[in-house]
């Protein structure tokens, strides 16, 4: 006989069961710590315009009814994900976003909840859209703007890598802009999660030593995902690294290859490797077949040339990139996220590609 509760499964009941719970500590005027439990579900948001659509998800702008704060909510179709065997990918995205919750240049995950049909990821809204759209509008970016956006991107990549995440699909379409025109990296659906070294036990640590946001046995749970994905193409043709094409393996330096492609593209309006179809683009990548326009700034040329190297171990490291003359005068760290955004302007010495 079916359990009486299970036959009574209404949408409302689901919205409650699937609500996300966030514990917030607040200190009152007397210095006493108050523990507040915040429960969020579908009913707490007003859903607005669609920002993007993928094969398994739709991203919409939404407003928290109580605080009036705006978010982007990614709505994933549970039946479709299960049917297409993509459950692991959704989990990887959630674990990754949970790991990367505290960087100004990375879209932050605030809550996840579900109802009968869908999973919901409540994320930072980046209201100014894609860096790619800005680039299309201006044609190219001048050196000052390129330095600014590339320094922010490098800072975000460093944070990801330090937290055991390889993005694997960095491209201008996945770099969004917040209300101050600063970057927010998004789309961790194809990220690779690396096992993190176990932190040394501290006095206030959870005695179980586990992180509720990730499986408690990272090696057994995460490794099969890495192996399985290493054998299939991940990423976007123009930014994919030669090691992924040749050995089907991605490493941290693969994100720095994509970084080099993006730097090139911001300055001259087109990616370094582009052909009429994916196959020809891949051929160009594995042959390192690209050229700089004659007007390309020599100092940027030196940086790109030392990133677009077939052997990932020969590419500059993040510390070497920061110390490169292209970034001279740039203060990395928090200052990058508080300094004013430069006036957005194209690179007048490089002709914009024809539209
Ligand atoms: O996670 C995602 N797949 C995702 C997110 C995260 N997709 N989008 C929509 C855009 C992604 C890049 N390509 C175009 C669609 C988002 C997203 N978008 C925005 N803010 C936050 C997120 C969270 N903002 C946009 C504003 C204007 C146009 C497009 C996006």
């Amino acid at each position: 006989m079916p359990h009486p509760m299970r036959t009574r499964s209404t949408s409302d009941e689901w919205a409650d069961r699937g609500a996300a719970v966030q514990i917030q500590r607040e200190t009152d005027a007397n210095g006493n710590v108050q523990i507040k439990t915040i429960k969020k579900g579908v009913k707490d948001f007003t859903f607005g315009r669609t920002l993007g659509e993928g094969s398994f998800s739709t991203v919409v702008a939404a407003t928290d009814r109580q605080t009036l704060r705006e978010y982007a909510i990614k709505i994933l179709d549970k039946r479709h994900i299960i049917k297409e065997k993509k459950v692991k990918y959704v989990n990887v995205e959630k674990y990754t976003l949970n790991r990367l919750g505290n960087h100004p240049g990375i879209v932050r995950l605030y809550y996840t909840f579900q109802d009968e049909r869908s999973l919901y990821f409540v994320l930072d809204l980046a209201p100014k859209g894609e860096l790619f759209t800005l680039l299309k509008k201006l044609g190219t970016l001048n050196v000052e703007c390129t330095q600014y956006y590339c320094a922010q991107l490098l800072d975000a990549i460093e944070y990801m890598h330090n937290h055991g995440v390889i993005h694997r699909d960095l491209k201008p379409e996945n770099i969004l802009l917040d209300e101050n025109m600063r970057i927010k990296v998004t789309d961790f659906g194809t990220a690779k999660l690396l096992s993190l070294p176990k932190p040394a036990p501290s006095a206030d640590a959870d005695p179980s030593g586990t992180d509720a946001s990730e499986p408690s046995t990272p090696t057994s749970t995460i490794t099969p995902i890495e192996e399985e994905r290493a054998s299939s193409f991940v990423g976007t043709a123009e930014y994919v690294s030669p090691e992924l094409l040749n050995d089907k393996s991605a490493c941290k330096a693969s994100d720095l290859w994509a970084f080099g492609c993006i730097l090139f593209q911001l300055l001259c309006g087109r990616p370094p490797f582009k052909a009429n179809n994916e196959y020809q683009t891949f051929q160009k990548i594995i042959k390192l077949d690209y050229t700089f326009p004659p007007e390309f700034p020599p100092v940027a040329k030196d940086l790109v040339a030392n990133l677009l190297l077939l052997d990932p171990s020969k590419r500059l490291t993040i510390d070497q990139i920061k110390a490169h003359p292209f970034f001279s005068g740039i203060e990395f760290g928090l200052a990058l996220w508080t300094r004013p955004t430069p006036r957005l302007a194209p690179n007048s010495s490089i002709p914009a590609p024809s539209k």
Side-chain angles (χ1 to χ4, degrees):
M1 203 177 92
H3 189 286
M5 284 301 281
R6 271 181 216 137
T7 54
R8 235 193 62 223
S9 179
T10 65
S11 293
D12 268 3
E13 199 184 309
W14 255 106
D16 283 342
R17 263 203 284 169
V21 178
Q22 203 189 48
I23 310 290
Q24 246 183 28
R25 279 167 197 266
E26 275 177 17
T27 311
D28 67 15
N30 304 321
N32 300 319
V33 175
Q34 309 264 334
I35 307 284
K36 263 189 170 176
T37 307
I38 304 174
K39 221 174 169 189
K40 293 277 181 201
V42 182
K43 291 185 288 184
D44 294 298
F45 296 91
T46 310
F47 290 81
R49 71 186 195 284
T50 299
L51 301 171
E53 272 175 309
S55 18
F56 303 95
S57 65
T58 303
V59 182
V60 296
T63 310
D64 182 323
R65 288 178 198 268
Q66 202 188 0
T67 63
L68 299 185
R69 189 178 162 162
E70 287 197 288
Y71 293 94
I73 302 192
K74 186 167 184 170
I75 306 168
L76 299 113
D77 181 340
K78 289 204 274 196
R79 263 179 58 183
H80 193 39
I81 289 165
I82 293 166
K83 197 169 140 233
E84 299 296 321
K85 301 190 169 57
K86 301 290 178 196
V87 175
K88 281 181 196 167
Y89 291 70
V90 175
N91 285 334
V92 167
E93 185 167 10
K94 184 173 155 184
Y95 305 145
T96 305
L97 286 163
N98 276 329
R99 264 197 201 181
L100 303 177
N102 198 15
H103 191 278
I106 296 172
V107 161
R108 181 170 166 184
L109 177 66
Y110 293 88
Y111 312 98
T112 56
F113 46 83
Q114 57 180 304
D115 61 18
E116 237 170 326
R117 269 184 67 174
S118 311
L119 300 173
Y120 298 82
F121 288 8
V122 182
L123 300 152
D124 268 325
L125 174 69
K128 298 287 162 90
E130 296 176 12
L131 180 63
F132 183 63
T133 312
L134 173 75
L135 186 62
K136 264 200 311 197
K137 205 154 59 186
L138 296 176
T140 57
L141 289 185
N142 66 14
V143 170
E144 190 191 5
C145 296
T146 305
Q147 269 178 336
Y148 176 77
Y149 282 123
C150 285
Q152 289 188 350
L153 178 59
L154 191 64
D155 196 60
I157 295 174
E158 184 176 39
Y159 180 85
M160 288 179 226
H161 289 184
N162 287 345
H163 287 77
V165 172
I166 306 174
H167 188 288
R168 299 204 291 189
D169 196 17
L170 289 171
K171 55 181 172 177
E173 290 89 331
N174 284 339
I175 302 170
L176 299 175
L177 297 168
D178 71 9
E179 57 287 355
N180 300 309
M181 297 300 279
R182 299 191 180 109
I183 70 153
K184 291 241 181 251
V185 176
T186 190
D187 206 346
F188 290 87
T190 50
K192 179 166 165 173
L193 268 170
L194 308 172
S195 311
L196 286 175
K198 273 213 166 99
S202 68
D204 58 352
D206 170 359
S208 71
T210 58
D211 174 352
S213 58
E214 269 181 42
S216 55
T217 49
T219 39
S220 65
T221 315
I222 294 169
T223 307
I225 299 169
E226 289 175 4
E227 282 165 2
E228 183 189 308
R229 284 170 154 212
S231 60
S232 58
F233 170 59
V234 172
T236 304
E238 282 80 9
Y239 309 88
V240 79
S241 60
E243 59 274 17
L244 205 104
L245 296 172
N246 288 325
D247 316 325
K248 298 186 168 114
S249 73
C251 53
K252 288 179 179 175
S254 314
D255 282 346
L256 298 178
W257 170 277
F259 174 80
C261 294
I262 294 167
L263 203 162
F264 181 106
Q265 185 170 0
L266 295 185
L267 284 170
C268 73
R270 61 170 174 86
F273 307 98
K274 181 140 189 77
N276 290 334
N277 56 50
E278 271 193 354
Y279 177 77
Q280 286 172 359
T281 300
F282 295 156
Q283 289 301 307
K284 285 189 168 220
I285 292 169
I286 58 177
K287 291 181 191 151
L288 203 65
D289 174 9
Y290 77 102
T291 50
F292 291 100
E295 308 84 356
F296 203 89
V299 68
K301 190 170 169 176
D302 182 82
L303 177 53
V304 171
N306 281 293
L307 288 167
L308 301 186
L309 294 170
L310 293 179
D311 180 350
S313 70
K314 300 253 161 57
R315 288 174 209 149
L316 294 183
T317 62
I318 291 180
D319 282 339
Q320 288 168 333
I321 302 170
K322 285 186 186 172
H324 190 277
F326 179 73
F327 286 116
S328 77
I330 298 283
E331 201 185 328
F332 281 89
L334 189 65
L336 278 177
W337 307 96
T338 50
R339 60 168 275 201
T341 302
R343 193 177 66 84
L344 299 172
N347 189 341
S348 52
S349 56
I350 299 188
S354 46
K355 290 189 180 164

